[in-house]
Amino acid sequence: KQRLRLATISIVSAAIVYMLYSDRKTWTPYLNKQFLQDKTLSILNQLQPAEDASFQATLSALASYAAGLAVWEFFGLSTIPVETAAGMVFGFFHASLASLVGKVVGATASFACGRTILYRYVSKHPALTDHAIFVALNHDDEHVHAPLLTAFLMKASLFPELIKNLGSSVLSVIQPWMFLVATVVHGGFFTMIWTWLGVDTAA
């Protein structure tokens, strides 16, 4: 029975690898930030309301962008090319506000999933449990790091975005409001930088 299971897993894995390799021209461009930015720019240009558009039309376009960025953030993908493209299309004020809303919603949703339905899997994943930084932040002695500082340290770490969100969710000392504050402050700072870069590029 064990051999049959291993054989099945091996066959399925080999088939997936073969399909990914055969179709690599389709998905490898998505690993390129310049390609992502150009693709995002093309999509956002279609969303961009006319100069004389109503407030409702503008709000609808920004909400659509924020929703898309929330999904992007939820899966831990790099938001840099997306936020830069948004700055080029929507301008600094509108783009930075919509980007921040999207990032906060996506990160919070990821945090919530990590603390609930994915907790068993995430809390035992070696990428977190065996990592020196995570072990230090997850120290049992609550006096080593103030909980709010721990939330900021996770956000400022070199972990990928998905690990930051899910990793924070399994640190019991980090309360949801602490994660939210750290996300708004840390995420907001970088949102303004990448948005301004987009505005400057468009100028």
Side-chain angles (χ1 to χ4, degrees), residues 104-185:
V104 169
V105 170
T108 304
S110 182
F111 177 87
C113 283
R115 184 147 287 189
T116 54
I117 59 177
L118 295 177
Y119 183 80
R120 283 188 180 182
Y121 174 77
V122 175
S123 61
K124 295 178 181 179
H125 199 283
L128 292 177
T129 56
D130 298 342
H131 200 286
I133 295 176
F134 185 79
V135 171
L137 291 174
N138 200 26
H139 199 283
D140 290 335
D141 185 356
E142 62 180 9
H143 300 293
V144 174
H145 301 293
L148 185 58
L149 176 59
T150 300
F152 274 99
L153 288 174
M154 277 297 291
K155 280 294 179 181
S157 70
L158 297 178
F159 287 126
E161 194 65 24
L162 186 62
I163 301 297
K164 291 180 182 181
N165 296 333
L166 293 179
S168 296
S169 71
V170 297
L171 292 173
S172 58
V173 295
I174 299 179
Q175 298 299 315
W177 71 266
M178 297 174 184
F179 177 81
L180 186 61
V181 169
T183 301
V184 170
V185 174

Side-chain angles (χ1 to χ4, degrees), residues 37 40-41 44-45 48 62 65 69 79-100 190-203:
Q37 184 172 311
T40 304
L41 194 57
L44 293 182
N45 276 326
Q48 186 179 28
L62 292 173
Y65 161 66
L69 186 64
T79 61
I80 296 172
V82 180
E83 292 179 279
T84 304
M88 297 171 71
V89 174
F90 297 122
F92 182 79
F93 177 74
H94 287 156
S96 57
L97 185 60
S99 292
L100 181 59
F190 284 101
T191 285
M192 288 190 289
I193 290 177
W194 306 132
T195 304
W196 180 255
L197 178 62
V199 172
D200 189 58
T201 301

Side-chain angles (χ1 to χ4, degrees), residues 1-12:
K1 192 174 181 179
Q2 184 70 17
R3 288 182 178 179
L4 179 61
R5 183 183 175 189
L6 288 174
T8 304
I9 292 174
S10 299
I11 292 171
V12 171

